[in-house]
Amino acid sequence: MASYSAASSGGSGSGPRAGVSTIAIVGAGPQLGLAIARTFGTHGYGVALIARNRAKLENLAGELTAEGTTAAAFPADVLDRDALTQALKDAAAHFGGIDVLEYSPVGGFDSTVLTTPSATEPSHVQHEMEFQLYGAIAASQAVLPAMREAGAGTLLFTTGAGSIDPVPQVDNVNAAAAALRNWAINLHKELDGTGVQAAHVGIDVSIGMSVVPGFPTAKPEEISPVYWELHTTRRDQAELVFSG
């Protein structure tokens, strides 16, 4: 049973259905991203998948399509602001709009150097800021104007719970995640009363399998309903923390 703590305040794939609501998942992968796609897909949402690897995205889109979800792949690197913005514009054109943005890219060991606080250099944090905070801001700027005009929409930003309670071994990642959390909650406050929801999701478990002995784990499909709840029944909340 999940427990939550809350703080208030052209791609590939099948073509879109007429009038379908759409979620764009930035950082889509075979774990949480796919689970979120399935959660929204079961409610009739189209799914725009955005990440660097075209082949992997197309495989995910094909898997979702075979399950009956309208899905399409829009490859882009979140570090390339122009490409990310264009991917979201292409997704909006393909589906006729974006109703939900979910931002949760994960850096690989080939690109992420983990540092402790005393060993952290400005460059270690800068890379993570580019990846987490600046990418989230760019993605939001691509979709938020249309949401404001419509008076409806949802922006969801995912980090590990180290953004709230930092861990020394991953100081630089936690610092950037904390910046993203701060910005997302502040955006929630700014958008109050506009019909557009912004919220932060903090994940305080290992997804799929434990990488730290004794640390709790959860399956992706146990976590993904949190995103649907924030989009539908918990729109007044700026944050949900999933702790298993």
Side-chain angles (χ1 to χ4, degrees):
M1 181 69 178
S3 63
Y4 309 115
S5 65
S8 295
S9 51
S12 64
S14 62
R17 296 187 294 266
V20 66
S21 295
T22 302
I23 181 171
I25 301 173
V26 179
Q31 296 269 350
L32 183 59
L34 181 58
I36 293 171
R38 283 174 169 152
T39 293
F40 279 78
T42 59
H43 291 280
Y45 276 60
V47 178
L49 302 167
I50 299 172
R52 290 180 298 173
N53 191 303
R54 177 183 294 272
K56 290 181 180 179
L57 278 186
E58 291 180 345
N59 286 339
L60 291 178
E63 189 173 345
L64 288 165
T65 299
E67 295 170 0
T69 294
T70 301
F74 301 89
D77 189 331
V78 299
L79 295 176
D80 185 337
R81 308 284 178 256
D82 291 339
L84 176 58
T85 298
Q86 188 60 53
L88 287 162
K89 288 182 178 179
D90 290 344
H94 181 81
F95 286 99
I98 293 174
D99 303 276
V100 183
L101 171 73
E102 192 280 319
Y103 187 88
S104 57
V106 177
F109 290 110
D110 59 334
S111 62
T112 301
V113 177
L114 304 179
T115 61
T116 60
S118 62
T120 296
E121 300 287 344
S123 61
H124 296 143
V125 178
Q126 180 62 34
H127 173 78
E128 291 303 312
M129 291 289 282
E130 294 278 354
F131 189 73
Q132 297 193 63
L133 177 62
Y134 302 159
I137 291 173
S140 299
Q141 288 178 338
V143 301
L144 184 53
M147 291 182 178
R148 279 185 178 274
E149 184 177 353
T154 301
L155 305 162
L156 302 173
F157 306 94
T158 303
T159 73
S163 63
I164 304 166
D165 183 14
V167 179
Q169 290 82 357
V170 289
D171 171 71
N172 56 322
V173 174
N174 286 172
L180 173 55
R181 173 182 180 253
N182 180 284
W183 178 81
I185 292 173
N186 217 13
L187 181 61
H188 173 91
K189 294 177 180 180
E190 179 190 354
L191 294 174
D192 183 41
T194 67
V196 182
Q197 157 76 327
H200 168 251
V201 179
I203 299 179
D204 196 19
V205 295
S206 291
I207 301 175
M209 60 183 293
S210 178
V211 294
V212 178
F215 194 70
T217 64
K219 296 178 181 179
E221 55 269 24
E222 294 177 297
I223 304 171
S224 58
V226 165
Y227 297 84
W228 182 253
E229 291 173 17
L230 282 166
H231 175 54
T232 55
T233 62
R234 296 176 180 249
R235 295 187 63 80
D236 62 334
Q237 295 185 229
E239 179 174 82
L240 284 177
V241 179
F242 184 95
S243 56

